[in-house]
Amino acid sequence: MKCANGAQGVFSRICYASYRYSMVFRAAGKIEKCTAALDHPQNLIGYVDSSKGVVLNENANYQWWHSTLQEKCFCRKELLTCFNMRCKKKTLIDGLADSTCSSVSLKIY
């Protein structure tokens, strides 16, 4: 999507890990979300088991893709990045405050 929309397009800041079914299958059988946080405990969302198949922790996966869109975001030009489609590593792993919407003044575009 980034290439199709250019470096400044509406889809240019969307993170692949923000999609519900976007996953990283590791050689040892781990299933993770973010390639920038490999082997971090909060990045692990499941595993592949030889008898059970794919075993997902839906709660762990949910943290990576779910978000509630704040009403003030509806007027934002970058609505999709505000709607949890930006990098979740910053909040889940790095412990940074989620400031995508809260620190931006509203502008009608």
Side-chain angles (χ1 to χ4, degrees):
M1 280 201 266
K2 188 172 185 174
C3 293
N5 289 283
Q8 302 300 317
V10 69
F11 295 111
S12 66
R13 295 187 188 158
I14 294 176
C15 176
Y16 57 87
S18 69
Y19 290 99
R20 184 177 188 170
Y21 299 109
S22 178
M23 300 169 198
V24 178
F25 286 78
R26 307 284 307 273
K30 291 180 182 179
I31 303 173
E32 298 179 326
K33 288 295 278 185
C34 176
T35 57
L38 296 176
D39 294 321
H40 191 283
Q42 285 189 259
N43 194 29
L44 182 66
I45 63 164
Y47 59 94
V48 178
D49 183 89
S50 60
S51 59
K52 297 178 186 176
V54 173
V55 179
L56 289 179
N57 178 338
E58 290 297 340
N59 290 329
N61 190 27
Y62 184 83
Q63 290 181 31
W64 283 92
W65 66 264
H66 184 265
S67 182
T68 302
L69 184 60
Q70 298 176 27
E71 188 173 330
K72 62 184 172 181
C73 294
F74 286 109
C75 296
R76 296 231 18 248
K77 179 175 144 182
E78 298 175 355
L79 175 66
L80 293 175
T81 58
C82 196
F83 190 41
N84 189 35
M85 300 196 84
R86 72 239 177 254
C87 180
K88 286 291 281 187
K89 176 186 173 287
K90 293 176 185 175
T91 55
L92 291 175
I93 294 177
D94 299 338
L96 300 174
D98 186 2
S99 61
T100 303
C101 296
S102 60
S103 66
V104 179
S105 60
L106 287 179
K107 294 179 183 177
I108 304 298
Y109 292 93

